[in-house]
Amino acid sequence: MADPAVAALNSLLRGTSIDDHAVALKLANAAIKASKAKGSNSSSNPDLPTAQHTRIVALLKLDRYADALRAIAEGGAALDKTCVLEKAYALYKTGDLDGAEAVLQTAGPAEHRRGLKHVAAQVAYRAEKSEQAAAIYRELATVEDGARYGEENDLRINLLATNAQLEWQGKGWAVPDDQKKPAREELEAFETAYNAACGCISRGDFAKATVLLKRSRNLCEASEDLSDDEKKAELVPIIVQQAYVCIKLGKLDEATSLHKSIVLSEVSDASTKAIAQSNILVLQAETNPFMAQRLAQAMPEIVGNDRLFGYQTSIFKRNKYIIDLQAQKFAGVERKTSALLAQDPVPSISSTKCELGVLNAAAACQLQTGKDALKQTLPLLEKRPNDVGLLLTIIQLYLQLQNPTPALYLLEAFFKRLEVANTPDHADVRFAPGLVALAVALYHKQGRHGAARTELAKAAAHWQQRGASAAAGSGNPLVREAGIGLLHSSHPSDLAAAGNAFTYLVAAQPSDPTATAGLVASFATTDFAKAKPYLDNLAPVDKLIAGIDAEALLEAGVAVLPVAPAQSKKRALDEPGQEKQPQPAAKKRRRQKLPKNFDPTKKPDPERWLPLRDRSSYRPKGKKGKKRVADSTQGGAVREEETLELAGGAGSVKVEKAPAGGGGGGGGGGGAGAKKKKKGKK
């Protein structure tokens, strides 16, 4: 027989709609308590599970997730099987993502399948499995079976947030191109405008993000569905993002004023509060890095479901290291980053590890640049040859010195070491899009265009072989650019490599017009049979040239830049009623000065620019002057002197050295034609 209290609750729930969840919880607890007092259970009282379910839902509505989990555990296995959705959601809200994922794998009631997918997408998003979350949201958006009113807007909001997360994680290739551009309907609600702005921030489009954030703030402030407290809570993340965009755009004063409008003590969300504090420290480090360093050390670590995402945690650590460097804590930063790099010596292109390598190099050279920095960082590369961040830092230093040759040599040596390893992970690093782009840019800088095309062909072939793996998606943009670059060559092997690249892209993305056009262009001159099936997919020529008047273009001729007309020396006539323009003062010509007694009929002396003593007409006066001229070396023989040491250490004396051809005093032989001196009379 059913318990009267439980039956009364069920009758009340069927006949009324209770908006106060505290009241619903009070009634459910009273019914369950009365049922327990009479010793009835779910088998003898079929209305008891309804009361228990009501209590669990009321607890979830009141954000008492731990109490909801305890209530599910107290209800036994039958209630646990019925409340799969509620249990998974409670585990998700308490931060137990692994437990929530395990519960979701069990089959819940059929009417809750769509709700379970929503929770599964939320769990995947919080666990940073953004690709899985995006796939679930796209499935829910296409399959409308069981959808409820207003669900479409929620799906759009969540999908925009997931796409922004993918961009921040470096997986922008997983976001379709049509979803990267903000649509008109995304400007109708402040949530969609905010998430669209986050997507623009993740792609570095700060100008567009500024417009979207302003739109989101205006819509939030004008909303009639939110109370004043709710508006204040919703405006905090919008203002924090606005301040971040201002910092990235260099508008530091505007960012400071935005941060001053936020009262951090009133911010309830721990992650938003931490981000605002970190951005304030970055601004403070510009004026007082020592105070900013002290405040950065005092920031608490966030745990639980409010913890930061992985990429946010990496940025927090990077900011703290940068503040330490500005405070001249070089030894501490070098020691900490070296320890972290030593834990994983395997080469990696993850932003976190590359940033550690850059920070370690900056600490080692104490923020120096140029040759002084190279002297400190090159020995580090010998110790850590697989540190990509350190390698890129040294390459940047060489490029700043306008010396790309050693930079390219170091990059090629790094590539050879990775090729020798011959493992999939090393190969992915070897053909990472960023490193390949750097190598191609250096090749082009040196005029080695053939080597650049060879590098592109090798990279495209690698990512085509990795097509079946999940990591291959990151290489699709590189394969596309490699195909475009190879099309610039007329060599058959380059065209064949471009055709293979575009064939792979067409198979992966049949709707990509760039891949289809590239495939046709690659095989048009070498293998037309392969290009012919795709000709119909291209836009017809008539459509491309529609609205273009060829005859008008021919009559107009070739467009040239306008040439500024030569200014006439004559003053133009003033029009009637026009004020006279002030004319610039005429430049006074300098009068040429001539020397006194100048006779234009006489020819000037060509030696007038030489000093007096160097002229041919110079005649010295006196014996000393004539001797000085005779001893001068200009145009004459140079007299050689030698120093002779006097006996007994009495000193030394300079004497004129005897000519090489003269004979000695003892009848020594001179040259063949040398005359001997006659002996004087005794």
Side-chain angles (χ1 to χ4, degrees):
M1 182 176 177
D3 188 89
V6 179
L9 174 63
N10 291 334
S11 176
L12 181 64
L13 291 175
R14 285 192 296 267
T16 61
S17 177
I18 302 176
D19 294 330
D20 192 345
H21 307 296
V23 175
L25 177 61
K26 184 177 180 180
L27 292 174
N29 285 333
I32 295 171
K33 185 176 180 180
S35 179
K36 286 183 178 180
K38 294 185 178 182
S40 58
N41 51 29
S42 58
S43 58
S44 60
N45 188 357
D47 293 327
L48 181 59
T50 304
Q52 293 174 330
H53 193 191
T54 302
R55 179 174 68 167
I56 293 168
V57 173
L59 289 171
L60 292 176
K61 291 288 188 179
L62 295 171
D63 297 341
R64 295 170 57 180
Y65 306 110
D67 294 338
L69 290 174
R70 281 192 293 270
I72 294 173
E74 292 174 0
L79 185 63
D80 188 87
K81 187 176 180 180
T82 304
C83 298
V84 174
L85 175 63
E86 291 78 2
K87 184 177 181 180
Y89 183 74
L91 289 171
Y92 155 70
K93 295 298 289 186
T94 54
D96 188 0
L97 302 180
D98 295 335
E101 196 170 356
V103 171
L104 289 168
Q105 292 177 357
T106 61
E111 62 271 14
H112 292 163
R113 294 289 172 83
R114 192 171 182 87
L116 289 172
K117 287 184 178 181
H118 276 280
V119 178
Q122 290 286 352
V123 171
Y125 175 82
R126 201 63 189 83
E128 301 188 46
K129 300 176 182 179
S130 301
E131 295 177 70
Q132 180 181 345
I136 297 174
Y137 282 132
R138 293 192 184 102
E139 179 186 354
L140 290 171
T142 53
V143 180
E144 298 182 357
D145 185 19
R148 300 197 176 187
Y149 177 76
E151 185 178 346
E152 181 182 358
N153 188 46
D154 293 340
L155 287 173
R156 186 183 298 112
I157 294 171
N158 293 338
L159 184 58
L160 286 171
T162 307
N163 289 340
Q165 189 84 296
L166 285 168
E167 295 278 1
W168 270 314
Q169 292 175 350
K171 299 178 180 179
W173 47 267
V175 182
D177 294 336
D178 58 338
Q179 295 182 6
K180 292 182 179 181
K181 299 179 181 179
R184 183 179 297 273
E185 57 268 15
E186 293 166 5
L187 303 177
E188 298 176 357
F190 75 91
E191 298 97 332
T192 53
Y194 173 77
N195 287 343
C198 291
C200 293
I201 294 172
S202 63
R203 291 186 292 272
D205 192 355
F206 299 110
K208 192 175 293 184
T210 302
V211 177
L212 292 171
L213 287 173
K214 185 178 180 180
R215 173 68 176 173
S216 175
R217 184 172 180 177
N218 292 338
L219 289 174
C220 183
E221 291 174 345
S223 177
E224 298 178 355
D225 299 332
L226 301 175
S227 63
D228 292 341
D229 293 338
E230 290 174 339
K231 286 182 182 180
K232 191 178 296 185
E234 294 288 351
L235 283 173
V236 170
I238 299 175
I239 297 174
V240 170
Q241 288 287 40
Q242 282 184 313
Y244 173 76
V245 171
C246 289
I247 293 174
K248 299 297 289 186
L249 293 175
K251 302 176 181 179
L252 302 183
D253 294 338
E254 187 175 349
T256 303
S257 63
L258 286 170
H259 278 299
K260 288 181 179 179
S261 65
I262 301 173
V263 182
L264 293 178
S265 59
E266 298 178 359
V267 179
S268 58
D269 187 66
S271 59
T272 304
K273 184 177 181 179
I275 293 171
Q277 288 176 328
S278 177
N279 292 341
I280 292 172
L281 289 179
V282 172
L283 291 172
Q284 191 170 5
E286 298 291 331
T287 56
N288 192 348
F290 301 98
M291 180 61 68
Q293 194 261 344
R294 292 282 300 273
L295 294 174
Q297 290 180 339
M299 285 185 62
E301 185 177 358
I302 306 174
V303 295
N305 204 33
D306 289 335
R307 65 182 181 275
L308 299 171
F309 290 101
Y311 68 90
Q312 291 175 324
T313 304
S314 175
I315 295 174
F316 264 54
K317 292 180 180 179
R318 183 191 65 191
N319 288 346
K320 288 184 178 181
Y321 285 137
I322 292 175
I323 292 173
D324 289 343
L325 290 175
Q326 291 176 329
Q328 300 181 6
K329 306 288 184 179
F330 303 121
V333 174
E334 185 177 5
R335 183 177 62 255
K336 293 176 183 177
T337 53
S338 297
L340 292 173
L341 289 169
Q343 295 176 1
D344 187 14
V346 179
S348 173
I349 56 172
S350 67
S351 59
T352 302
K353 193 170 182 181
C354 290
E355 288 169 359
L356 288 175
V358 175
L359 292 168
N360 183 265
C365 65
Q366 298 185 359
L367 299 181
Q368 292 178 321
T369 58
K371 295 182 179 179
D372 296 333
L374 285 173
K375 291 179 182 179
Q376 301 295 331
T377 53
L378 284 173
L380 295 177
L381 189 61
E382 297 179 359
K383 298 178 182 178
R384 302 197 305 270
N386 294 329
D387 189 345
V388 178
L390 176 61
L391 173 67
L392 294 176
T393 303
I394 295 175
I395 290 175
Q396 180 67 22
L397 291 172
Y398 274 123
L399 293 179
Q400 288 178 349
L401 294 173
Q402 304 295 326
N403 193 6
T405 302
L408 183 57
Y409 171 77
L410 290 176
L411 186 60
E412 289 178 337
F414 177 70
F415 284 166
K416 290 179 181 178
R417 288 195 298 270
L418 295 178
E419 290 172 357
V420 170
N422 197 20
T423 60
D425 294 339
H426 286 69
D428 288 346
V429 176
R430 162 64 181 88
F431 295 107
L435 295 178
V436 173
L438 175 61
V440 170
L442 291 175
Y443 283 135
H444 284 309
K445 191 176 183 65
Q446 293 187 338
R448 300 169 58 183
H449 304 294
R453 287 193 295 268
T454 302
E455 180 68 20
L456 288 173
K458 291 166 62 177
H462 166 75
W463 290 110
Q464 291 173 53
Q465 293 176 358
R466 295 275 285 161
S469 64
S474 59
N476 287 345
L478 175 60
V479 175
R480 180 183 290 103
E481 295 301 324
I484 295 173
L486 292 170
L487 280 178
H488 290 87
S489 173
S490 59
H491 198 276
S493 61
D494 293 337
L495 293 176
N500 294 334
F502 286 119
T503 302
Y504 165 79
L505 291 174
V506 168
Q509 300 175 350
S511 60
D512 187 357
T514 303
T516 305
L519 189 150
V520 173
S522 302
F523 295 118
T525 57
T526 57
D527 193 351
F528 185 73
K530 293 183 179 179
K532 188 175 181 180
Y534 299 95
L535 292 176
D536 296 336
N537 297 337
L538 298 177
V541 178
D542 296 338
K543 183 178 180 181
L544 294 176
I545 64 174
I548 298 176
D549 191 350
E551 294 181 358
L553 291 175
L554 290 174
E555 292 178 0
V558 180
V560 295
L561 294 175
V563 180
Q567 295 182 355
S568 176
K569 294 182 179 179
K570 295 183 179 180
R571 183 175 65 86
L573 293 175
D574 296 331
E575 296 182 3
Q578 182 181 8
E579 297 182 359
K580 293 184 178 181
Q581 299 294 333
Q583 298 294 330
K587 189 175 181 181
K588 188 176 180 181
R589 293 187 63 183
R590 188 174 180 180
R591 187 176 180 182
Q592 190 176 10
K593 293 183 179 181
L594 297 175
K596 294 181 180 180
N597 302 325
F598 174 73
D599 189 358
T601 59
K602 292 183 180 181
K603 187 178 181 181
D605 185 9
E607 295 182 353
R608 64 186 182 276
W609 308 114
L610 298 176
L612 187 63
R613 65 185 63 181
D614 293 341
R615 299 180 187 180
S616 59
S617 60
Y618 176 66
R619 297 291 182 270
K621 297 179 181 180
K623 293 182 179 180
K624 290 184 179 181
K626 293 179 180 179
K627 185 177 182 302
R628 193 179 298 112
V629 173
D631 292 341
S632 64
T633 61
Q634 185 172 358
V638 180
R639 297 184 180 183
E640 298 183 1
E641 294 181 349
E642 61 180 347
T643 304
L644 299 178
E645 299 290 339
L646 299 178
S652 60
V653 63
K654 290 184 178 181
V655 298
E656 185 177 347
K657 194 173 183 179
K675 297 181 180 180
K676 293 186 178 181
K677 292 183 180 180
K678 294 182 180 180
K679 295 183 179 180
K681 294 182 180 180
K682 294 183 180 179

